[in-house]
Amino acid sequence: MNKLRKRNGTDRWVALLLWLAAALVVATLLWILGDIFSRGLSGLSVEFLVDEPREAGRAGGLGPVLLSTLLVLGVCMAAAVPVALGAAVLLSEFSLGRRGFGRAVRASLDILAAVPSIVFGLFGNAFFSQILGMGFSLLSGGLTLACMVLPILIRTTEQALTAVPDEVRQGAAAVGLSRVTTFKSLLLPAAAPGLAAGFVLGMGRALAETAALLFTSGYVTRWPESLLDSGRVLSIHIYDLAMNIPGADDRASSTAVVLIALVLLLNVSAMAIGGRRSPGRWSP
């Protein structure tokens, strides 16, 4: 009886510590958001979202910066999604007989995910900007971000595909369907929520990136005319306003509100999409 009481007391203390840790995380997030929103909401307006920056960012808006951000994000996902889908299909459907190869690819993905973003920036500057001759451009920045988000996209896509029960594959083989037809008609639709969630999470990672783009996309705030033009994204704009432009702290906070709103929207979308169909309650 004493041992049972002692065990129950220990469980209560552990549960309390876990709740305190979770509350601390939530409180930290609310503190950061509250500080930024309290200083930045007053500067938001339609003009702020569509006008050009003036006076080094102290006046004007975010029009070219928002456009550059969306273009870099589009290049990133357009380059990363096909590669991620192909690699995930290979790992989940065609590498079962070559487990050593699959382990090597997964280990490479883990290492790639742990590489600091500043290293990706140096790589992008050396390879895309200099060797391939793209210079400081939106295309160079987007391709660099594509390398960064590949581990997230490949792993989430692989997990979404492997979550589909083997009975689906076996049933398709029993009626004579090819692997390509099985993947296109059965596996891909069944794994669509997981694929969409990984896609949105990859977009969120790319949207908030700063260090890698310092060396690839550039700083200019003019309207981009093509993907080979240099452009400034939201995260770099926030850094420049906060660190290099005296008297622009309020503008930096307003820009941060826009970026946080986009990131929160993407993460909420990912949770909503991923929660529609979890692997544990898959049904054909």
Side-chain angles (χ1 to χ4, degrees):
M1 182 63 69
N2 291 334
K3 289 183 178 180
L4 181 59
R5 290 178 180 175
K6 184 176 181 180
R7 185 179 305 168
N8 290 337
T10 303
D11 291 343
R12 292 192 188 96
W13 279 109
V14 171
L16 178 61
L17 291 175
L18 293 177
W19 278 104
L20 288 176
L24 180 61
V25 172
V26 175
T28 303
L29 174 63
L30 294 178
W31 181 22
I32 294 173
L33 294 181
D35 179 65
I36 293 176
F37 276 71
S38 64
R39 293 186 295 170
L41 280 178
S42 60
L44 294 182
S45 64
V46 176
E47 291 77 13
F48 180 72
L49 297 177
V50 299
D51 287 349
E52 295 184 15
R54 298 189 302 272
E55 299 178 15
R58 298 185 186 92
L62 296 175
V65 179
L66 273 175
L67 179 59
S68 297
T69 302
L70 295 178
L71 289 175
V72 168
L73 191 61
V75 170
C76 168
M77 302 313 293
V81 168
V83 177
L85 184 60
V89 171
L90 176 65
L91 290 174
S92 62
E93 305 297 323
F94 296 97
S95 67
L96 297 179
R98 292 174 288 176
R99 300 184 185 278
F101 172 75
R103 285 197 298 269
V105 174
R106 293 182 182 93
S108 300
L109 291 174
D110 293 338
I111 295 173
L112 192 63
V115 173
S117 59
I118 194 71
V119 176
F120 279 101
L122 294 173
F123 163 77
N125 179 269
F127 184 70
F128 297 117
S129 299
Q130 299 183 28
I131 295 178
L132 297 185
M134 297 179 185
F136 283 91
S137 64
L138 302 177
L139 183 60
S140 177
L143 293 176
T144 302
L145 290 185
C147 298
M148 290 187 60
V149 302
L150 272 178
I152 296 175
L153 294 179
I154 295 175
R155 279 307 185 93
T156 54
T157 303
E158 180 191 3
Q159 291 173 2
L161 292 173
T162 54
V164 181
D166 288 336
E167 288 79 3
V168 176
R169 299 172 178 83
Q170 295 169 359
V175 298
L177 295 180
S178 65
R179 279 193 167 186
V180 175
T181 303
T182 300
F183 173 77
K184 181 176 67 174
S185 302
L186 297 176
L187 300 183
L188 193 58
L195 300 181
F199 180 82
V200 175
L201 288 174
M203 290 179 64
R205 169 73 189 277
L207 186 64
E209 185 52 50
T210 303
L213 296 177
L214 286 171
F215 300 94
T216 53
S217 64
Y219 284 87
V220 298
T221 57
R222 63 175 180 267
W223 290 98
E225 297 180 358
S226 73
L227 293 178
L228 292 178
D229 282 349
S230 178
R232 179 186 295 191
V233 299
L234 283 171
S235 55
I236 293 179
H237 191 58
I238 295 171
Y239 169 79
D240 191 54
L241 291 177
M243 301 299 296
N244 301 325
I245 309 298
D249 290 344
D250 291 340
R251 290 285 173 171
S253 297
S254 297
T255 307
V257 170
V258 176
L259 180 58
I260 290 174
L262 291 175
V263 172
L264 288 177
L265 178 62
L266 289 175
N267 280 274
V268 170
S269 301
M271 290 186 289
I273 294 171
R276 289 180 182 178
R277 180 178 292 176
S278 63
R281 50 188 177 92
W282 189 93
S283 58

